[in-house]
Amino acid sequence: DSGVTQTPKHLITATGQRVTLRCSPRSGDLSVYWYQQSLDQGLQFLIQYYNGEERAKGNILERFSAQQFPDLHSELNLSSLELGDSALYFCASSQSGNQETQYFGPGTRLLVL
Amino acid sequence: AQSVAQPEDQVNVAEGNPLTVKCTYSVSGNPYLFWYVQYPNRGLQFLLKYITGDNLVKGSYGFEAEFNKSQTSFHLKKPSALVSDSALYFCAVRASGTASKLTFGTGTRLQVTL
């Protein structure tokens, strides 16, 4: 158990809908990262937050957004969902966001029908 | 741009035999290199990392990896494989001194049989 928690574990929704994925980092970690894992794209970095501020952006679609709250938990919002958004979404956390290790949560499996 | 190549989709090895999972990378400047393992329906678990120092890095569950700068490789090894090592292994790289984007390889499935 990495100490990173993600909810929900599974999510089934329809095209065009909006969902919110939640992540709680390990105790003491200030940085949160979001990744998408799909069969065709592999593991892709989406976005990083550090202590409430966006720090780095990867291959995140404009339909997706994220934020990190004062208690350091983070939410990833996915809107206008398409079939291709079906994937496993991982959250990871690290102490400060530099060279140290990122610890991953168990993921949220999203299925868009 | 940084990239990671894991040339083998699957590696098969008998229990008790040594295993190697290959990884090569491309990055500007000094690399930070990581290995993660993913079991079915689980998240990624950190195995080991190379930041600087000794080229041979020891990690969890008896795994180790050797950093080779001239060959830009970071192969994962274990002297004696266990059936329970069967999983999906990911190599990842990040350039030093940059924002923390980790670039992952496509993964290598390790199958250890009796």
Side-chain angles (χ1 to χ4, degrees):
Chain A
D1 185 0
S2 67
V4 178
T5 60
Q6 289 186 248
T7 56
K9 206 168 181 178
H10 302 277
L11 202 46
I12 302 175
T13 188
T15 54
Q17 294 298 305
R18 172 190 168 95
V19 298
T20 298
L21 314 183
R22 183 188 168 105
C23 167
S24 292
R26 295 186 320 157
S27 177
D29 284 357
L30 298 178
S31 205
V32 168
Y33 312 77
W34 286 98
Y35 291 85
Q36 180 194 59
Q37 185 180 32
S38 61
L39 282 174
D40 53 342
Q41 297 285 331
L43 257 170
Q44 299 276 320
F45 167 72
L46 295 178
I47 197 164
Q48 179 202 358
Y49 277 81
Y50 172 74
N51 205 19
E53 301 288 327
E54 182 183 306
R55 177 171 273 196
K57 222 167 184 175
N59 301 323
I60 188 165
L61 300 171
E62 283 191 16
R63 300 183 284 110
F64 296 0
S65 65
Q67 54 184 325
Q68 187 179 26
F69 295 86
D71 67 352
L72 301 177
H73 91 271
S74 177
E75 293 180 357
L76 179 67
N77 300 296
L78 315 176
S79 61
S80 303
L81 285 167
E82 302 174 359
L83 296 177
D85 297 327
S86 297
L88 199 48
Y89 291 85
F90 287 112
C91 167
S93 74
S94 69
Q95 281 190 321
S96 69
N98 294 321
Q99 70 267 31
E100 73 283 331
T101 302
Q102 296 179 24
Y103 292 91
F104 282 73
T108 293
R109 187 172 294 278
L110 173 67
L111 181 59
V112 182
L113 299 175
Chain B
Q2 56 196 42
S3 64
V4 174
Q6 292 183 243
E8 301 152 318
D9 288 338
Q10 180 154 327
V11 169
N12 298 306
V13 64
E15 188 173 56
N17 284 358
L19 69 88
T20 298
V21 183
K22 295 179 181 175
C23 169
T24 58
Y25 66 90
S26 173
V27 72
S28 298
N30 294 321
Y32 294 157
L33 293 154
F34 301 80
W35 275 101
Y36 286 85
V37 59
Q38 185 177 25
Y39 295 98
N41 301 313
R42 302 280 295 275
L44 278 74
Q45 293 179 35
F46 168 72
L47 277 180
L48 51 81
K49 67 181 177 185
Y50 172 84
I51 301 297
T52 187
D54 195 351
N55 289 344
L56 186 63
V57 178
K58 293 191 183 296
S60 308
Y61 313 119
F63 284 93
E64 58 189 30
E66 188 164 11
F67 171 63
N68 188 316
K69 189 171 183 177
S70 63
Q71 297 185 5
T72 61
S73 67
F74 189 56
H75 301 331
L76 180 71
K77 300 183 180 188
K78 188 174 182 181
S80 179
L82 298 172
V83 171
S84 57
D85 293 330
S86 299
L88 191 54
Y89 290 80
F90 289 95
C91 180
V93 69
R94 186 171 74 227
S96 62
T98 65
S100 306
K101 177 188 172 183
L102 261 184
T103 297
F104 284 86
T106 50
T108 297
R109 187 163 299 282
L110 174 66
Q111 188 69 44
V112 182
T113 53
L114 289 170

